[in-house]
């Protein structure tokens, strides 16, 4: 790389992080602490500081925080860190933050990031990512980061993916640049689409997958989803479903899923962007998905129902 190229890639960027929850809190605090860029957090309520608890150290960051989209202006990068179902409600932020040169990195689970974001970002460029790290919001101004696999992110092996890698230089975040982003996104989706609604519907943590009956159901649903993934162009191996099913029994039995926690908290879940994405892709490719459809329908009904465990629900 020539000196001028290096100067161009190491420029200070203005980054807006929209959604200061588990994933957004970690990335906003980590980027701000790395000190290479100007970080603005776009949140629904203000905070004085942001604490990121990591296994190796605790970071205290003080990024600029905006709570009113009207006060935002065009940024070089937007990192969208809301849940998928909150994409539309983030539109006022995206409208103010996005210009011709803006890149919008989507830090959301699922597939179809470009299609989901396109109506909201005007002329900006959409950069899909897969998030692998585990984030947990402990308080409005405190999050916990845990590495959950070898990589924190995966991006496509293209100019936008490389720009994302450059943006995160100096943060210590590990990023996989993949020539087959679609397959990686589908692999993560398979597990989320099947496992998450089962924990949310049964109100049980990962231990629920250890029973034999449940294992058989999970395997059938995963095989159904894997067939859709292959039809959609993902290179999912023949034994992917059985490997994922086995993997589920190795997770700590007391670990929850985001859908499980959303249901407990009475928040609408991401089921449409996850299980719904499998069902929709099945329809596009004319592959029947009865088990995924069942999980989707039950989960949508659960989302619309009362919050479990609240005494006022018991009449
Ligand atoms: N958590 C993980 O370990 C993990 C791992 C991999 C992938 N993911 C994916 O990452 C994405 C984000 O998940 P998360 O766990 O970070 O969710 P989260 O903890 O619920 O955080 C989402 C944040 O978005 C904010 N938000 C929602 N609508 C907004 C709006 N209109 N304007 C501004 N802020 C808004 C929420 O604000 P309020 O606080 O005001 O509600 C919340 O702070 C999801 O797609 C998830 O599946 C998560």
């Amino acid at each position: 790389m020539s000196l001028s190229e290096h100067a161009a890639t190491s420029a200070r960027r203005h980054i807006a992080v929209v959604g200061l929850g588990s994933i957004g809190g970690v990335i906003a605090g980590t980027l701000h602490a790395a000190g290479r860029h100007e970080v603005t957090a776009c949140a629904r309520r203000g905070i004085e500081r942001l604490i990121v608890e990591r296994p190796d150290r605790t970071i205290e960051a003080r990024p600029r925080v905006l709570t009113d989209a009207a006060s935002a202006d065009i940024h070089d990068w937007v990192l969208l860190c809301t849940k998928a179902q909150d994409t539309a409600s983030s539109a006022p932020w995206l409208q103010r933050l996005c210009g011709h040169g803006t890149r919008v990195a989507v830090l959301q689970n699922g597939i179809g990031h470009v299609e989901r974001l396109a109506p909201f970002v005007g002329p900006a460029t959409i950069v899909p990512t897969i998030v692998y790290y585990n984030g947990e919001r402990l308080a409005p101004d405190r999050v916990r980061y845990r590495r959950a696999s070898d990589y924190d992110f995966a991006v496509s092996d293209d100019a936008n993916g490389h720009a994302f890698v450059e943006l995160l230089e100096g943060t210590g975040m590990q990023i996989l640049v993949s020539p087959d982003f679609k397959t990686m996104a589908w692999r993560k989706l398979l597990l989320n689409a099947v496992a998450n609604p089962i924990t949310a519907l049964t109100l049980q943590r990962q231990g629920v997958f250890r029973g034999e009956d449940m294992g058989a159901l999970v395997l059938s649903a995963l095989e159904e989803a894997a067939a859709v993934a292959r039809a959609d162009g993902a290179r999912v191996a023949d034994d992917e479903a059985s490997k994922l099913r086995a993997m589920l029994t190795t997770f700590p039995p007391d670990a929850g899923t985001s859908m499980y926690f959303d249901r407990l908290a009475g928040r609408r879940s991401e089921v449409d962007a996850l299980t719904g994405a499998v069902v929709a892709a099945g329809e596009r490719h004319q592959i029947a998905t009865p088990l995924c459809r069942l999980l989707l329908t039950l989960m949508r009904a659960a989302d619309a129902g009362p919050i479990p465990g609240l005494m006022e629900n018991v009449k």
Side-chain angles (χ1 to χ4, degrees):
M1 188 184 284
S2 72
L3 271 180
S4 59
E5 278 172 335
H6 182 74
T9 59
S10 61
R12 202 166 178 82
R13 313 275 187 213
H14 287 82
I15 307 174
V17 177
V18 178
L20 212 53
S22 312
I23 292 302
V26 168
I27 198 65
T30 304
L31 274 164
H32 187 268
R36 284 189 54 226
H37 304 292
E38 301 294 331
V39 180
T40 301
C42 303
R44 292 199 273 215
R45 58 191 147 165
I47 49 164
E48 292 294 315
R49 58 178 193 165
L50 181 58
I51 308 287
V52 183
E53 292 184 11
R54 301 173 47 99
D56 55 339
R57 65 187 193 284
T58 296
I59 293 169
E60 181 170 336
R62 292 179 185 273
R64 184 167 76 122
V65 180
L66 299 180
T67 54
D68 179 5
S71 56
D73 52 14
I74 291 177
H75 277 56
D76 300 310
W77 279 86
V78 178
L79 310 188
L80 181 65
C81 303
T82 64
K83 292 249 172 73
Q85 67 272 19
D86 292 320
T87 302
S89 78
S90 311
W93 288 112
L94 295 169
Q95 203 176 9
R96 299 284 304 184
L97 293 165
C98 291
H100 281 279
T102 306
R103 286 187 167 107
V104 181
V106 190
L107 278 63
Q108 291 177 338
N109 269 329
I111 54 172
H113 298 89
V114 174
E115 294 76 5
R116 182 153 71 236
L117 263 293
F120 306 109
V121 301
T125 303
I126 298 162
V127 184
T129 77
I130 304 169
V131 182
Y132 290 109
Y133 65 83
N134 177 266
E136 186 181 348
R137 183 166 34 170
L138 305 170
D141 63 352
R142 183 177 285 266
V143 287
R144 180 187 290 142
Y145 159 89
R146 276 186 283 226
R147 180 161 286 159
S149 76
D150 290 345
Y151 296 100
D152 294 301
F153 290 99
V155 290
S156 272
D157 188 3
D158 57 24
N160 292 320
H162 288 269
F164 186 77
V165 172
E166 190 272 323
L167 190 75
L168 265 61
E169 268 172 20
T171 61
M173 290 279 191
Q174 299 299 309
I175 307 175
L176 175 68
V177 176
S178 170
D180 191 358
F181 183 84
K182 175 173 253 187
T183 297
M184 302 212 60
W186 262 106
R187 277 212 189 107
K188 187 158 194 227
L189 178 64
L190 294 181
L191 213 50
N192 284 334
V194 172
N196 289 14
I198 290 174
T199 58
L201 288 165
T202 59
L203 290 177
Q204 291 191 54
R205 297 177 182 233
Q206 305 265 2
V208 74
F209 298 116
R210 298 188 177 209
E212 230 173 82
D213 286 359
M214 185 59 84
L217 171 65
V218 165
L219 180 61
S220 301
L222 284 170
E223 281 172 343
E224 191 180 283
V228 176
R230 284 183 208 105
D232 202 49
R235 292 185 307 136
V236 170
D238 289 347
D239 61 352
E240 184 78 19
S242 57
K243 278 189 178 156
L244 289 175
R245 184 231 180 225
M247 190 199 288
L248 274 176
T249 63
T250 66
F251 294 152
D254 60 346
T257 68
S258 61
M259 221 178 271
Y260 166 86
F261 290 119
D262 280 345
R263 179 142 193 248
L264 280 186
R267 292 187 295 255
R268 197 155 70 85
S269 79
E270 257 184 331
V271 74
D272 278 297
L274 303 177
T275 321
V278 175
V279 171
E283 279 170 7
R284 279 199 306 280
H285 298 293
Q286 298 184 326
I287 293 179
T289 55
L291 291 175
C292 290
R293 197 178 282 278
L294 176 72
L295 292 175
L296 175 64
T297 306
L298 291 176
M299 201 53 225
R300 278 178 177 160
D303 275 349
I307 303 167
L310 279 188
M311 282 313 288
E312 66 224 43
N313 295 325
V314 184
K315 293 256 161 52

